[in-house]
């Protein structure tokens, strides 16, 4: 598949993307679970967050509502259109977010400017995950944090926790792994491997 094919594929996913509970976070309990999970792993607000492969901006908006300033990057204009439309609904979200079209593998963001680089379900999609991780780490200020939510899904896609931890360690960073089997994050029981790695 070419990059253009990938963009078209994600564009075509945008209209229905928020339907699963963990995507749109429309269920208050699922939303509260992600809010608690992420805020516990970020510095106190306001911090500068780069949300790479931000999709429809659900996590960016959640963090902006908590007082963080979030720059979201995605190569799908359809995803970003939805992110901007959602941000327009809330003053805190609108003022605290900026959405930029770009390649997450080489984000069009200023180096050494972010307290946090957040990626949920994006590292697995990078053609060269090691190179992407190196580019993401360059965005961080000294002492900045990388927060990676990933999974090895029952459809065979994704990255195992061991693979993600190894990638982070190979980039010269420590990695702290928390498994996320609880249904409160997904709105249903799961039987595959989902997790967050903080570095
Ligand atoms: C599974 S979705 C996750 C969206 C969001 N992070 C979330 O958790 O709700 C993957 C997103 O990454 C984006 N994406 C995939 N590869 C990308 C790339 N190379 N550059 C920018 N965005 C990319 C897709 O357009 C899609 O919005």
């Amino acid at each position: 598949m070419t990059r253009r094919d990938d963009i078209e594929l994600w564009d075509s996913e945008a209209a229905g993307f928020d339907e699963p509970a963990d995507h749109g976070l429309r269920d208050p309990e699922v939303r509260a679970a992600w809010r608690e999970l992420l805020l516990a792993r970020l510095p106190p607000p306001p911090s500068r967050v780069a949300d790479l492969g931000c999709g429809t901006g659900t996590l960016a908006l959640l963090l902006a509502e908590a007082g963080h300033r979030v720059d979201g990057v995605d190569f799908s204009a359809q995803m970003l259109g939805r992110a901007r439309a959602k941000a327009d609904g809330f003053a805190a979200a609108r003022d605290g977010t900026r959405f930029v079209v770009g390649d997450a593998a080489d984000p069009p963001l200023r180096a050494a400017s972010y307290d946090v680089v957040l990626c949920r379900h994006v590292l697995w999609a990078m053609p060269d995950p090691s190179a992407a991780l190196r580019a993401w780490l360059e965005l961080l200020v000294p002492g900045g944090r990388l927060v990676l939510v990933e999974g090895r899904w029952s459809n065979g896609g994704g990255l195992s926790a061991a693979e993600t931890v190894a990638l982070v360690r190979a980039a010269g960073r420590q990695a702290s792994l928390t498994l996320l089997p609880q249904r409160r994050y997904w709105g249903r029981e799961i039987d595959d491997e989902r997790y967050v790695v903080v570095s």
Side-chain angles (χ1 to χ4, degrees):
M1 286 232 300
T2 66
R3 185 165 176 277
R4 175 141 303 282
D5 292 335
D6 284 339
I7 293 172
E8 279 176 15
L9 184 70
W10 284 111
D11 272 343
S12 73
E13 294 280 319
F17 189 77
D18 280 350
E19 280 163 24
D22 58 310
H23 288 183
L25 304 186
R26 292 165 171 160
D27 176 332
E29 283 179 26
V30 176
R31 188 173 185 80
W34 282 97
R35 185 184 154 90
E36 189 182 316
L37 177 83
L38 294 177
L39 292 184
R41 285 162 176 79
L42 263 60
S47 74
R48 288 208 63 189
V49 181
D51 180 4
L52 305 179
C54 63
T56 59
T58 303
L59 297 185
L61 298 174
L62 184 78
L63 297 179
E65 283 165 19
H68 294 286
R69 285 168 296 140
V70 189
D71 290 344
V73 175
D74 205 288
F75 64 9
S76 161
Q78 292 296 322
M79 289 280 188
L80 289 187
R82 280 165 173 78
R84 292 191 184 106
K86 288 196 297 191
D88 276 344
F90 306 93
R94 188 180 54 240
D95 298 343
T97 53
R98 186 171 70 100
F99 293 105
V100 184
V101 178
D103 190 346
D106 183 18
L109 301 176
R110 215 167 78 195
S113 300
Y114 292 88
D115 303 299
V116 179
V117 169
L118 167 69
C119 292
R120 184 175 73 161
H121 302 158
V122 177
L123 183 62
W124 71 278
M126 294 293 102
D128 181 344
S130 303
L133 264 185
R134 285 195 300 276
W136 298 353
L137 291 170
E138 283 179 13
L139 298 177
L140 291 173
V141 298
R145 299 176 199 183
L146 182 65
V147 179
L148 301 173
V149 180
E150 287 293 336
R152 166 79 82 190
W153 302 292
S154 44
N155 65 8
L159 291 169
S160 69
E163 287 170 325
T164 297
V165 165
L167 282 165
V168 172
R169 291 194 176 139
R173 306 267 302 193
Q174 57 78 28
S176 164
L177 168 70
T178 306
L179 297 175
L180 304 174
Q182 300 88 346
R183 69 169 291 145
R184 67 176 179 274
Y185 296 114
W186 315 107
R188 62 185 176 86
E189 298 299 331
I190 58 154
D191 58 6
D192 47 14
E193 188 184 49
R194 305 181 189 206
Y195 55 90
V196 56
V197 169
V198 179
S199 170

